[in-house]
Amino acid sequence: MIRTILLAGALLMTTPALAQSEPVGDYVEVNGMQMYYEKSGSGDPLIVLHGAYMNIPAMGSIIGRLAETHTVYALETQGHGRTNDIDRPITYPNMAGDVAAFMDAVGIEKADVFGYSMGAATGLRLALDHPEKVDQLIAASVSYDMEGAQPDFLAMIPTMVPEMFIGTPMEDAWKQFAPDPEAFRPFVERMIALEHEPLAWGDEVKDLKVPVLIIAGDADMMTLEHLVDMFRLLGGGHAGDMGNPLAASRLAILPATSHTAVIDQTDLLMGFISPFLKGETPKGMF
């Protein structure tokens, strides 16, 4: 997930969304916030959750591609984009609860979920806390335990201070949409606190029944061993030609790909996402 200033650079690097149909933006009251979202496409509902310091446009063209086959609800979470910040910690349980409340508010009983980075961890927490609301989860660049983060990133967390963000182009980009452009410092303080929140969900992931497509770069912010461990917790990783059915969950590693390079590889992402959502698998000899 995006859990550092290096990862937040994705906000500045992604391209505008190319939607299948013109998105319709609206607000809904969720847990004391006016949560902004955009609805586009048609078909079964699919919720899109952005990464840290990002917003809907920063997710690039993936939203439009998903809207070719689904009714997409792209959300902006607490303090991000056009959704106002509130005096409450930004944590994964809180954000997952906000998504669940959003679904209730707009009348979505169950949906597929695509999350990137912080949004992937939020989607995973949603599936753990509210499994009845998640049909299938696509989690791009996700961790389920901080022990799985790259060592150099873990070493960086204690050094993080608001001044890494304040006065940078990231603040300028944030102010373009923020309801209160002067509230960047308290927002950043909440985001830094998120880095220190406990994250050790292995026992819960092991019991998760929701199918998960894990997507990550081979140079992502979590180790490859961690991603394989998560896949095994979800029932994957055994030989598929030995008489056992394939696991419902899947693992895809993008080559030559860092964390911030994951979200813009739309064609490659859709090559994994489309068959997963359809329940299609490549045919083997047996």
Side-chain angles (χ1 to χ4, degrees), residues 195-231:
E195 310 293 351
H196 298 275
E197 283 289 314
L199 182 62
W201 303 339
D203 290 341
E204 295 174 275
V205 169
K206 187 175 182 180
D207 294 331
L208 185 64
K209 305 303 180 186
V210 173
V212 181
L213 168 59
I214 306 165
I215 302 175
D218 61 0
D220 217 310
M221 294 304 292
M222 64 293 300
T223 67
L224 295 172
E225 291 82 0
H226 180 71
L227 297 164
V228 172
D229 286 344
M230 182 176 179
F231 185 45

PDB file of all heavy atoms in Angstrom, residues 195-231:
ATOM      1  N   GLU A 195       0.723   5.263   9.233  1.00  0.00           N
ATOM      2  CA  GLU A 195       1.908   4.427   9.067  1.00  0.00           C
ATOM      3  C   GLU A 195       2.246   3.647  10.334  1.00  0.00           C
ATOM      4  O   GLU A 195       2.862   2.583  10.274  1.00  0.00           O
ATOM      5  CB  GLU A 195       3.119   5.291   8.693  1.00  0.00           C
ATOM      6  CG  GLU A 195       2.928   6.257   7.551  1.00  0.00           C
ATOM      7  CD  GLU A 195       2.734   5.578   6.218  1.00  0.00           C
ATOM      8  OE1 GLU A 195       2.913   4.352   6.141  1.00  0.00           O
ATOM      9  OE2 GLU A 195       2.401   6.273   5.249  1.00  0.00           O
ATOM     10  N   HIS A 196       1.836   4.180  11.469  1.00  0.00           N
ATOM     11  CA  HIS A 196       2.165   3.574  12.755  1.00  0.00           C
ATOM     12  C   HIS A 196       1.034   2.707  13.299  1.00  0.00           C
ATOM     13  O   HIS A 196       1.178   2.120  14.376  1.00  0.00           O
ATOM     14  CB  HIS A 196       2.517   4.670  13.762  1.00  0.00           C
ATOM     15  CG  HIS A 196       3.723   5.474  13.375  1.00  0.00           C
ATOM     16  ND1 HIS A 196       5.009   5.081  13.668  1.00  0.00           N
ATOM     17  CD2 HIS A 196       3.834   6.652  12.675  1.00  0.00           C
ATOM     18  CE1 HIS A 196       5.867   5.979  13.201  1.00  0.00           C
ATOM     19  NE2 HIS A 196       5.179   6.927  12.580  1.00  0.00           N
ATOM     20  N   GLU A 197      -0.081   2.646  12.572  1.00  0.00           N
ATOM     21  CA  GLU A 197      -1.205   1.812  13.013  1.00  0.00           C
ATOM     22  C   GLU A 197      -0.823   0.332  12.934  1.00  0.00           C
ATOM     23  O   GLU A 197      -0.139  -0.092  11.998  1.00  0.00           O
ATOM     24  CB  GLU A 197      -2.438   2.061  12.137  1.00  0.00           C
ATOM     25  CG  GLU A 197      -3.179   3.348  12.460  1.00  0.00           C
ATOM     26  CD  GLU A 197      -3.916   3.262  13.780  1.00  0.00           C
ATOM     27  OE1 GLU A 197      -4.604   2.252  14.039  1.00  0.00           O
ATOM     28  OE2 GLU A 197      -3.794   4.213  14.572  1.00  0.00           O
ATOM     29  N   PRO A 198      -1.256  -0.464  13.904  1.00  0.00           N
ATOM     30  CA  PRO A 198      -0.971  -1.907  13.841  1.00  0.00           C
ATOM     31  C   PRO A 198      -1.545  -2.532  12.566  1.00  0.00           C
ATOM     32  O   PRO A 198      -2.648  -2.186  12.138  1.00  0.00           O
ATOM     33  CB  PRO A 198      -1.684  -2.454  15.086  1.00  0.00           C
ATOM     34  CG  PRO A 198      -1.825  -1.286  15.997  1.00  0.00           C
ATOM     35  CD  PRO A 198      -2.013  -0.090  15.114  1.00  0.00           C
ATOM     36  N   LEU A 199      -0.775  -3.401  11.962  1.00  0.00           N
ATOM     37  CA  LEU A 199      -1.214  -4.104  10.757  1.00  0.00           C
ATOM     38  C   LEU A 199      -0.671  -5.518  10.833  1.00  0.00           C
ATOM     39  O   LEU A 199       0.492  -5.774  10.518  1.00  0.00           O
ATOM     40  CB  LEU A 199      -0.711  -3.390   9.500  1.00  0.00           C
ATOM     41  CG  LEU A 199      -1.135  -4.003   8.150  1.00  0.00           C
ATOM     42  CD1 LEU A 199      -2.646  -3.980   8.009  1.00  0.00           C
ATOM     43  CD2 LEU A 199      -0.490  -3.263   6.991  1.00  0.00           C
ATOM     44  N   ALA A 200      -1.519  -6.441  11.282  1.00  0.00           N
ATOM     45  CA  ALA A 200      -1.142  -7.851  11.408  1.00  0.00           C
ATOM     46  C   ALA A 200      -2.423  -8.665  11.314  1.00  0.00           C
ATOM     47  O   ALA A 200      -3.029  -9.026  12.317  1.00  0.00           O
ATOM     48  CB  ALA A 200      -0.425  -8.106  12.734  1.00  0.00           C
ATOM     49  N   TRP A 201      -2.829  -8.935  10.062  1.00  0.00           N
ATOM     50  CA  TRP A 201      -4.142  -9.523   9.813  1.00  0.00           C
ATOM     51  C   TRP A 201      -4.072 -10.979   9.344  1.00  0.00           C
ATOM     52  O   TRP A 201      -5.042 -11.513   8.810  1.00  0.00           O
ATOM     53  CB  TRP A 201      -4.887  -8.706   8.753  1.00  0.00           C
ATOM     54  CG  TRP A 201      -5.072  -7.260   9.089  1.00  0.00           C
ATOM     55  CD1 TRP A 201      -5.022  -6.675  10.321  1.00  0.00           C
ATOM     56  CD2 TRP A 201      -5.356  -6.197   8.160  1.00  0.00           C
ATOM     57  NE1 TRP A 201      -5.255  -5.327  10.223  1.00  0.00           N
ATOM     58  CE2 TRP A 201      -5.456  -4.996   8.913  1.00  0.00           C
ATOM     59  CE3 TRP A 201      -5.524  -6.148   6.781  1.00  0.00           C
ATOM     60  CZ2 TRP A 201      -5.732  -3.763   8.312  1.00  0.00           C
ATOM     61  CZ3 TRP A 201      -5.792  -4.911   6.184  1.00  0.00           C
ATOM     62  CH2 TRP A 201      -5.902  -3.740   6.946  1.00  0.00           C
ATOM     63  N   GLY A 202      -2.940 -11.636   9.533  1.00  0.00           N
ATOM     64  CA  GLY A 202      -2.756 -12.967   8.968  1.00  0.00           C
ATOM     65  C   GLY A 202      -3.804 -13.977   9.390  1.00  0.00           C
ATOM     66  O   GLY A 202      -4.318 -14.732   8.558  1.00  0.00           O
ATOM     67  N   ASP A 203      -4.139 -14.014  10.663  1.00  0.00           N
ATOM     68  CA  ASP A 203      -5.126 -14.983  11.142  1.00  0.00           C
ATOM     69  C   ASP A 203      -6.490 -14.747  10.511  1.00  0.00           C
ATOM     70  O   ASP A 203      -7.224 -15.696  10.213  1.00  0.00           O
ATOM     71  CB  ASP A 203      -5.239 -14.911  12.671  1.00  0.00           C
ATOM     72  CG  ASP A 203      -4.003 -15.447  13.377  1.00  0.00           C
ATOM     73  OD1 ASP A 203      -3.228 -16.193  12.735  1.00  0.00           O
ATOM     74  OD2 ASP A 203      -3.812 -15.115  14.560  1.00  0.00           O
ATOM     75  N   GLU A 204      -6.835 -13.478  10.283  1.00  0.00           N
ATOM     76  CA  GLU A 204      -8.113 -13.163   9.667  1.00  0.00           C
ATOM     77  C   GLU A 204      -8.100 -13.483   8.173  1.00  0.00           C
ATOM     78  O   GLU A 204      -9.092 -13.995   7.631  1.00  0.00           O
ATOM     79  CB  GLU A 204      -8.441 -11.686   9.887  1.00  0.00           C
ATOM     80  CG  GLU A 204      -8.663 -11.308  11.329  1.00  0.00           C
ATOM     81  CD  GLU A 204      -8.827  -9.812  11.501  1.00  0.00           C
ATOM     82  OE1 GLU A 204      -7.789  -9.121  11.610  1.00  0.00           O
ATOM     83  OE2 GLU A 204      -9.971  -9.334  11.502  1.00  0.00           O
ATOM     84  N   VAL A 205      -6.997 -13.162   7.505  1.00  0.00           N
ATOM     85  CA  VAL A 205      -6.891 -13.448   6.070  1.00  0.00           C
ATOM     86  C   VAL A 205      -7.017 -14.943   5.826  1.00  0.00           C
ATOM     87  O   VAL A 205      -7.653 -15.377   4.853  1.00  0.00           O
ATOM     88  CB  VAL A 205      -5.564 -12.908   5.516  1.00  0.00           C
ATOM     89  CG1 VAL A 205      -5.315 -13.418   4.093  1.00  0.00           C
ATOM     90  CG2 VAL A 205      -5.563 -11.379   5.532  1.00  0.00           C
ATOM     91  N   LYS A 206      -6.461 -15.738   6.701  1.00  0.00           N
ATOM     92  CA  LYS A 206      -6.502 -17.191   6.539  1.00  0.00           C
ATOM     93  C   LYS A 206      -7.924 -17.717   6.512  1.00  0.00           C
ATOM     94  O   LYS A 206      -8.219 -18.726   5.857  1.00  0.00           O
ATOM     95  CB  LYS A 206      -5.717 -17.854   7.671  1.00  0.00           C
ATOM     96  CG  LYS A 206      -5.550 -19.357   7.524  1.00  0.00           C
ATOM     97  CD  LYS A 206      -4.661 -19.911   8.617  1.00  0.00           C
ATOM     98  CE  LYS A 206      -4.457 -21.412   8.433  1.00  0.00           C
ATOM     99  NZ  LYS A 206      -3.574 -21.970   9.503  1.00  0.00           N
ATOM    100  N   ASP A 207      -8.836 -17.042   7.202  1.00  0.00           N
ATOM    101  CA  ASP A 207     -10.234 -17.479   7.272  1.00  0.00           C
ATOM    102  C   ASP A 207     -11.125 -16.791   6.247  1.00  0.00           C
ATOM    103  O   ASP A 207     -12.323 -17.064   6.195  1.00  0.00           O
ATOM    104  CB  ASP A 207     -10.793 -17.219   8.674  1.00  0.00           C
ATOM    105  CG  ASP A 207     -10.121 -18.077   9.742  1.00  0.00           C
ATOM    106  OD1 ASP A 207      -9.666 -19.188   9.410  1.00  0.00           O
ATOM    107  OD2 ASP A 207     -10.043 -17.622  10.905  1.00  0.00           O
ATOM    108  N   LEU A 208     -10.557 -15.926   5.426  1.00  0.00           N
ATOM    109  CA  LEU A 208     -11.353 -15.159   4.469  1.00  0.00           C
ATOM    110  C   LEU A 208     -11.860 -16.052   3.348  1.00  0.00           C
ATOM    111  O   LEU A 208     -11.095 -16.825   2.759  1.00  0.00           O
ATOM    112  CB  LEU A 208     -10.508 -14.017   3.891  1.00  0.00           C
ATOM    113  CG  LEU A 208     -11.215 -13.027   2.965  1.00  0.00           C
ATOM    114  CD1 LEU A 208     -12.299 -12.275   3.718  1.00  0.00           C
ATOM    115  CD2 LEU A 208     -10.207 -12.043   2.371  1.00  0.00           C
ATOM    116  N   LYS A 209     -13.138 -15.960   3.045  1.00  0.00           N
ATOM    117  CA  LYS A 209     -13.747 -16.760   1.979  1.00  0.00           C
ATOM    118  C   LYS A 209     -13.939 -15.969   0.690  1.00  0.00           C
ATOM    119  O   LYS A 209     -14.208 -16.554  -0.366  1.00  0.00           O
ATOM    120  CB  LYS A 209     -15.103 -17.299   2.438  1.00  0.00           C
ATOM    121  CG  LYS A 209     -15.061 -18.090   3.735  1.00  0.00           C
ATOM    122  CD  LYS A 209     -14.095 -19.269   3.650  1.00  0.00           C
ATOM    123  CE  LYS A 209     -14.075 -20.056   4.963  1.00  0.00           C
ATOM    124  NZ  LYS A 209     -13.028 -21.116   4.952  1.00  0.00           N
ATOM    125  N   VAL A 210     -13.807 -14.661   0.742  1.00  0.00           N
ATOM    126  CA  VAL A 210     -13.963 -13.820  -0.453  1.00  0.00           C
ATOM    127  C   VAL A 210     -12.795 -14.069  -1.400  1.00  0.00           C
ATOM    128  O   VAL A 210     -11.636 -14.009  -0.983  1.00  0.00           O
ATOM    129  CB  VAL A 210     -14.011 -12.336  -0.052  1.00  0.00           C
ATOM    130  CG1 VAL A 210     -14.001 -11.439  -1.289  1.00  0.00           C
ATOM    131  CG2 VAL A 210     -15.243 -12.051   0.805  1.00  0.00           C
ATOM    132  N   PRO A 211     -13.040 -14.349  -2.687  1.00  0.00           N
ATOM    133  CA  PRO A 211     -11.933 -14.507  -3.642  1.00  0.00           C
ATOM    134  C   PRO A 211     -11.157 -13.204  -3.809  1.00  0.00           C
ATOM    135  O   PRO A 211     -11.747 -12.129  -3.938  1.00  0.00           O
ATOM    136  CB  PRO A 211     -12.647 -14.897  -4.945  1.00  0.00           C
ATOM    137  CG  PRO A 211     -13.988 -15.405  -4.524  1.00  0.00           C
ATOM    138  CD  PRO A 211     -14.350 -14.628  -3.310  1.00  0.00           C
ATOM    139  N   VAL A 212      -9.833 -13.302  -3.814  1.00  0.00           N
ATOM    140  CA  VAL A 212      -8.980 -12.125  -3.908  1.00  0.00           C
ATOM    141  C   VAL A 212      -7.997 -12.308  -5.063  1.00  0.00           C
ATOM    142  O   VAL A 212      -7.329 -13.336  -5.167  1.00  0.00           O
ATOM    143  CB  VAL A 212      -8.190 -11.895  -2.602  1.00  0.00           C
ATOM    144  CG1 VAL A 212      -7.328 -10.636  -2.722  1.00  0.00           C
ATOM    145  CG2 VAL A 212      -9.131 -11.806  -1.400  1.00  0.00           C
ATOM    146  N   LEU A 213      -7.915 -11.313  -5.925  1.00  0.00           N
ATOM    147  CA  LEU A 213      -6.855 -11.232  -6.922  1.00  0.00           C
ATOM    148  C   LEU A 213      -5.799 -10.277  -6.383  1.00  0.00           C
ATOM    149  O   LEU A 213      -6.044  -9.075  -6.248  1.00  0.00           O
ATOM    150  CB  LEU A 213      -7.400 -10.731  -8.264  1.00  0.00           C
ATOM    151  CG  LEU A 213      -6.360 -10.333  -9.322  1.00  0.00           C
ATOM    152  CD1 LEU A 213      -5.437 -11.498  -9.670  1.00  0.00           C
ATOM    153  CD2 LEU A 213      -7.038  -9.781 -10.576  1.00  0.00           C
ATOM    154  N   ILE A 214      -4.635 -10.814  -6.034  1.00  0.00           N
ATOM    155  CA  ILE A 214      -3.518 -10.002  -5.556  1.00  0.00           C
ATOM    156  C   ILE A 214      -2.687  -9.585  -6.765  1.00  0.00           C
ATOM    157  O   ILE A 214      -2.259 -10.437  -7.551  1.00  0.00           O
ATOM    158  CB  ILE A 214      -2.636 -10.806  -4.586  1.00  0.00           C
ATOM    159  CG1 ILE A 214      -3.460 -11.406  -3.452  1.00  0.00           C
ATOM    160  CG2 ILE A 214      -1.511  -9.941  -4.032  1.00  0.00           C
ATOM    161  CD1 ILE A 214      -2.715 -12.502  -2.690  1.00  0.00           C
ATOM    162  N   ILE A 215      -2.464  -8.290  -6.910  1.00  0.00           N
ATOM    163  CA  ILE A 215      -1.622  -7.772  -7.982  1.00  0.00           C
ATOM    164  C   ILE A 215      -0.527  -6.922  -7.343  1.00  0.00           C
ATOM    165  O   ILE A 215      -0.800  -6.125  -6.443  1.00  0.00           O
ATOM    166  CB  ILE A 215      -2.417  -6.921  -8.979  1.00  0.00           C
ATOM    167  CG1 ILE A 215      -3.567  -7.718  -9.609  1.00  0.00           C
ATOM    168  CG2 ILE A 215      -1.505  -6.365 -10.076  1.00  0.00           C
ATOM    169  CD1 ILE A 215      -4.465  -6.892 -10.522  1.00  0.00           C
ATOM    170  N   ALA A 216       0.706  -7.080  -7.813  1.00  0.00           N
ATOM    171  CA  ALA A 216       1.799  -6.266  -7.285  1.00  0.00           C
ATOM    172  C   ALA A 216       2.922  -6.196  -8.305  1.00  0.00           C
ATOM    173  O   ALA A 216       3.006  -7.019  -9.221  1.00  0.00           O
ATOM    174  CB  ALA A 216       2.325  -6.845  -5.971  1.00  0.00           C
ATOM    175  N   GLY A 217       3.782  -5.198  -8.146  1.00  0.00           N
ATOM    176  CA  GLY A 217       4.972  -5.115  -8.959  1.00  0.00           C
ATOM    177  C   GLY A 217       6.089  -5.962  -8.375  1.00  0.00           C
ATOM    178  O   GLY A 217       6.111  -6.229  -7.164  1.00  0.00           O
ATOM    179  N   ASP A 218       7.018  -6.379  -9.218  1.00  0.00           N
ATOM    180  CA  ASP A 218       8.132  -7.176  -8.711  1.00  0.00           C
ATOM    181  C   ASP A 218       9.150  -6.324  -7.955  1.00  0.00           C
ATOM    182  O   ASP A 218      10.103  -6.850  -7.359  1.00  0.00           O
ATOM    183  CB  ASP A 218       8.802  -7.964  -9.833  1.00  0.00           C
ATOM    184  CG  ASP A 218       9.400  -7.092 -10.937  1.00  0.00           C
ATOM    185  OD1 ASP A 218       9.303  -5.847 -10.836  1.00  0.00           O
ATOM    186  OD2 ASP A 218       9.961  -7.658 -11.892  1.00  0.00           O
ATOM    187  N   ALA A 219       8.941  -4.999  -7.960  1.00  0.00           N
ATOM    188  CA  ALA A 219       9.763  -4.088  -7.154  1.00  0.00           C
ATOM    189  C   ALA A 219       8.845  -3.195  -6.317  1.00  0.00           C
ATOM    190  O   ALA A 219       9.051  -1.992  -6.190  1.00  0.00           O
ATOM    191  CB  ALA A 219      10.660  -3.243  -8.054  1.00  0.00           C
ATOM    192  N   ASP A 220       7.833  -3.800  -5.741  1.00  0.00           N
ATOM    193  CA  ASP A 220       6.811  -3.090  -4.974  1.00  0.00           C
ATOM    194  C   ASP A 220       7.314  -2.795  -3.562  1.00  0.00           C
ATOM    195  O   ASP A 220       8.455  -3.126  -3.206  1.00  0.00           O
ATOM    196  CB  ASP A 220       5.515  -3.908  -4.937  1.00  0.00           C
ATOM    197  CG  ASP A 220       4.276  -3.041  -5.016  1.00  0.00           C
ATOM    198  OD1 ASP A 220       4.188  -2.068  -4.246  1.00  0.00           O
ATOM    199  OD2 ASP A 220       3.380  -3.339  -5.834  1.00  0.00           O
ATOM    200  N   MET A 221       6.458  -2.213  -2.726  1.00  0.00           N
ATOM    201  CA  MET A 221       6.853  -1.828  -1.380  1.00  0.00           C
ATOM    202  C   MET A 221       6.704  -2.951  -0.363  1.00  0.00           C
ATOM    203  O   MET A 221       7.047  -2.787   0.803  1.00  0.00           O
ATOM    204  CB  MET A 221       6.041  -0.616  -0.921  1.00  0.00           C
ATOM    205  CG  MET A 221       6.331   0.630  -1.721  1.00  0.00           C
ATOM    206  SD  MET A 221       8.080   1.097  -1.731  1.00  0.00           S
ATOM    207  CE  MET A 221       8.297   1.578  -0.025  1.00  0.00           C
ATOM    208  N   MET A 222       6.184  -4.091  -0.788  1.00  0.00           N
ATOM    209  CA  MET A 222       6.168  -5.274   0.055  1.00  0.00           C
ATOM    210  C   MET A 222       7.023  -6.345  -0.620  1.00  0.00           C
ATOM    211  O   MET A 222       7.186  -6.342  -1.833  1.00  0.00           O
ATOM    212  CB  MET A 222       4.748  -5.771   0.311  1.00  0.00           C
ATOM    213  CG  MET A 222       3.988  -6.245  -0.914  1.00  0.00           C
ATOM    214  SD  MET A 222       3.587  -4.937  -2.110  1.00  0.00           S
ATOM    215  CE  MET A 222       2.591  -3.835  -1.106  1.00  0.00           C
ATOM    216  N   THR A 223       7.561  -7.255   0.162  1.00  0.00           N
ATOM    217  CA  THR A 223       8.441  -8.264  -0.420  1.00  0.00           C
ATOM    218  C   THR A 223       7.632  -9.283  -1.213  1.00  0.00           C
ATOM    219  O   THR A 223       6.445  -9.511  -0.949  1.00  0.00           O
ATOM    220  CB  THR A 223       9.238  -8.995   0.673  1.00  0.00           C
ATOM    221  OG1 THR A 223       8.342  -9.774   1.477  1.00  0.00           O
ATOM    222  CG2 THR A 223      10.006  -8.017   1.550  1.00  0.00           C
ATOM    223  N   LEU A 224       8.287  -9.906  -2.168  1.00  0.00           N
ATOM    224  CA  LEU A 224       7.636 -10.961  -2.938  1.00  0.00           C
ATOM    225  C   LEU A 224       7.262 -12.128  -2.038  1.00  0.00           C
ATOM    226  O   LEU A 224       6.222 -12.773  -2.237  1.00  0.00           O
ATOM    227  CB  LEU A 224       8.548 -11.420  -4.070  1.00  0.00           C
ATOM    228  CG  LEU A 224       8.837 -10.372  -5.148  1.00  0.00           C
ATOM    229  CD1 LEU A 224       9.906 -10.871  -6.105  1.00  0.00           C
ATOM    230  CD2 LEU A 224       7.568 -10.008  -5.908  1.00  0.00           C
ATOM    231  N   GLU A 225       8.090 -12.407  -1.039  1.00  0.00           N
ATOM    232  CA  GLU A 225       7.782 -13.492  -0.102  1.00  0.00           C
ATOM    233  C   GLU A 225       6.478 -13.212   0.650  1.00  0.00           C
ATOM    234  O   GLU A 225       5.677 -14.128   0.888  1.00  0.00           O
ATOM    235  CB  GLU A 225       8.934 -13.658   0.905  1.00  0.00           C
ATOM    236  CG  GLU A 225      10.224 -14.203   0.300  1.00  0.00           C
ATOM    237  CD  GLU A 225      11.071 -13.136  -0.382  1.00  0.00           C
ATOM    238  OE1 GLU A 225      10.670 -11.949  -0.390  1.00  0.00           O
ATOM    239  OE2 GLU A 225      12.141 -13.491  -0.930  1.00  0.00           O
ATOM    240  N   HIS A 226       6.255 -11.963   0.977  1.00  0.00           N
ATOM    241  CA  HIS A 226       5.031 -11.581   1.678  1.00  0.00           C
ATOM    242  C   HIS A 226       3.805 -11.818   0.800  1.00  0.00           C
ATOM    243  O   HIS A 226       2.769 -12.318   1.265  1.00  0.00           O
ATOM    244  CB  HIS A 226       5.114 -10.108   2.086  1.00  0.00           C
ATOM    245  CG  HIS A 226       3.908  -9.601   2.812  1.00  0.00           C
ATOM    246  ND1 HIS A 226       3.601  -9.983   4.088  1.00  0.00           N
ATOM    247  CD2 HIS A 226       2.928  -8.736   2.427  1.00  0.00           C
ATOM    248  CE1 HIS A 226       2.490  -9.376   4.482  1.00  0.00           C
ATOM    249  NE2 HIS A 226       2.064  -8.621   3.483  1.00  0.00           N
ATOM    250  N   LEU A 227       3.913 -11.465  -0.470  1.00  0.00           N
ATOM    251  CA  LEU A 227       2.803 -11.660  -1.396  1.00  0.00           C
ATOM    252  C   LEU A 227       2.482 -13.143  -1.574  1.00  0.00           C
ATOM    253  O   LEU A 227       1.311 -13.541  -1.615  1.00  0.00           O
ATOM    254  CB  LEU A 227       3.136 -11.015  -2.738  1.00  0.00           C
ATOM    255  CG  LEU A 227       3.319  -9.500  -2.697  1.00  0.00           C
ATOM    256  CD1 LEU A 227       4.022  -9.005  -3.952  1.00  0.00           C
ATOM    257  CD2 LEU A 227       1.977  -8.796  -2.532  1.00  0.00           C
ATOM    258  N   VAL A 228       3.527 -13.961  -1.683  1.00  0.00           N
ATOM    259  CA  VAL A 228       3.314 -15.410  -1.794  1.00  0.00           C
ATOM    260  C   VAL A 228       2.687 -15.953  -0.514  1.00  0.00           C
ATOM    261  O   VAL A 228       1.778 -16.797  -0.552  1.00  0.00           O
ATOM    262  CB  VAL A 228       4.630 -16.132  -2.114  1.00  0.00           C
ATOM    263  CG1 VAL A 228       4.450 -17.639  -2.042  1.00  0.00           C
ATOM    264  CG2 VAL A 228       5.122 -15.731  -3.501  1.00  0.00           C
ATOM    265  N   ASP A 229       3.140 -15.470   0.631  1.00  0.00           N
ATOM    266  CA  ASP A 229       2.549 -15.906   1.901  1.00  0.00           C
ATOM    267  C   ASP A 229       1.061 -15.582   1.950  1.00  0.00           C
ATOM    268  O   ASP A 229       0.250 -16.397   2.409  1.00  0.00           O
ATOM    269  CB  ASP A 229       3.264 -15.226   3.075  1.00  0.00           C
ATOM    270  CG  ASP A 229       4.646 -15.795   3.342  1.00  0.00           C
ATOM    271  OD1 ASP A 229       4.937 -16.896   2.827  1.00  0.00           O
ATOM    272  OD2 ASP A 229       5.425 -15.149   4.069  1.00  0.00           O
ATOM    273  N   MET A 230       0.691 -14.387   1.483  1.00  0.00           N
ATOM    274  CA  MET A 230      -0.715 -14.016   1.467  1.00  0.00           C
ATOM    275  C   MET A 230      -1.513 -14.928   0.546  1.00  0.00           C
ATOM    276  O   MET A 230      -2.620 -15.377   0.880  1.00  0.00           O
ATOM    277  CB  MET A 230      -0.877 -12.556   1.036  1.00  0.00           C
ATOM    278  CG  MET A 230      -2.318 -12.078   1.033  1.00  0.00           C
ATOM    279  SD  MET A 230      -2.465 -10.319   0.640  1.00  0.00           S
ATOM    280  CE  MET A 230      -4.256 -10.137   0.701  1.00  0.00           C
ATOM    281  N   PHE A 231      -0.946 -15.209  -0.628  1.00  0.00           N
ATOM    282  CA  PHE A 231      -1.605 -16.106  -1.571  1.00  0.00           C
ATOM    283  C   PHE A 231      -1.824 -17.482  -0.950  1.00  0.00           C
ATOM    284  O   PHE A 231      -2.893 -18.088  -1.103  1.00  0.00           O
ATOM    285  CB  PHE A 231      -0.757 -16.200  -2.838  1.00  0.00           C
ATOM    286  CG  PHE A 231      -1.377 -16.995  -3.951  1.00  0.00           C
ATOM    287  CD1 PHE A 231      -2.704 -16.836  -4.302  1.00  0.00           C
ATOM    288  CD2 PHE A 231      -0.615 -17.917  -4.673  1.00  0.00           C
ATOM    289  CE1 PHE A 231      -3.273 -17.565  -5.346  1.00  0.00           C
ATOM    290  CE2 PHE A 231      -1.171 -18.654  -5.704  1.00  0.00           C
ATOM    291  CZ  PHE A 231      -2.502 -18.471  -6.038  1.00  0.00           C
TER     292      PHE A 231
END
